[in-house]
Amino acid sequence: MSQPNISAAELCPCASKVQYQHCCQPLHLTQAIATSPEQLMRSRYCAFVVGKFDYLIATHHPDFRQGLTVEQLATDCPQWLGLHITKVSPFDTTGDVTFKAWYIANKHIDAIYEMSSFVQLNGHWLYTTGKQMQARLPNRNEPCVCHSGKKFKHCCATLTS
């Protein structure tokens, strides 16, 4: 599935409610570095959404990549729907961020529900590992996962019909 074109003036896909040009874009363009595990997590989700796969490799600790390549990341990309950060641990030079990254693939909505671990190395935050968990789909009357402000039944749930 092709990645959307995100203009610099659009709201950032990371759900920060800030324009992409003032949020994750400077990180993706290496004009800035993440100052916390949460900021790196948000920028990595956004990189999946906008297809910045080089950034994902660059922010993945080399000791934990296990041969991961840009080509692998670019294969079978789902349609990303929204990011929900559920917990951020206190940090010094390590930190954890628990999140749900909602997507649709083959008319099926699911989420990557993960507690991601990060480490600071030479002043840069890097992703190391993640503990996967099982996500529960929202109930029909709960807010939609895409942050539209609509109920799930009137928004993304219709994508699976």
Side-chain angles (χ1 to χ4, degrees), residues 4 11 16-17 21 40 44 47-48 50 67 73-74 105 110 117 121 128 131-132 139 142 146-147 149 151 156 159:
L11 287 180
S16 65
K17 299 185 178 168
Q21 66 188 344
L40 183 62
R44 286 177 56 81
F48 274 106
V50 301
L73 290 170
D110 203 352
S117 296
L121 182 66
T128 57
K131 177 186 172 197
Q132 302 293 314
N139 292 326
E142 289 181 328
C146 73
H147 305 283
K151 291 181 180 182
C156 288
L159 299 173

Side-chain angles (χ1 to χ4, degrees), residues 122-135:
N122 300 322
H124 293 265
W125 285 103
L126 298 170
Y127 170 78
T128 57
T129 60
K131 177 186 172 197
Q132 302 293 314
M133 296 172 271
Q134 185 66 40

Side-chain angles (χ1 to χ4, degrees), residues 65-136:
R65 283 188 205 138
Q66 300 176 339
L68 185 65
T69 67
V70 167
E71 292 76 21
Q72 290 171 322
L73 290 170
T75 303
D76 296 327
C77 297
Q79 176 186 347
W80 296 100
L81 301 173
L83 176 67
H84 294 262
I85 304 287
T86 60
K87 183 178 178 185
V88 177
S89 72
F91 62 93
D92 182 17
T93 58
T94 63
D96 296 322
V97 179
T98 304
F99 68 92
K100 294 176 186 171
W102 291 96
Y103 64 91
I104 187 167
N106 301 320
K107 292 194 172 204
H108 177 74
I109 294 176
D110 203 352
I112 297 171
Y113 184 18
E114 179 177 300
M115 182 181 76
S116 292
S117 296
F118 300 88
V119 64
Q120 196 174 45
L121 182 66
N122 300 322
H124 293 265
W125 285 103
L126 298 170
Y127 170 78
T128 57
T129 60
K131 177 186 172 197
Q132 302 293 314
M133 296 172 271
Q134 185 66 40
R136 175 191 64 79

Side-chain angles (χ1 to χ4, degrees), residues 5-13 18-26 29:
N5 291 324
I6 303 292
S7 77
E10 287 183 68
L11 287 180
C12 194
V18 176
Q19 291 175 323
Y20 178 57
Q21 66 188 344
H22 299 299
C23 193
C24 292
Q25 187 179 41
L29 298 175

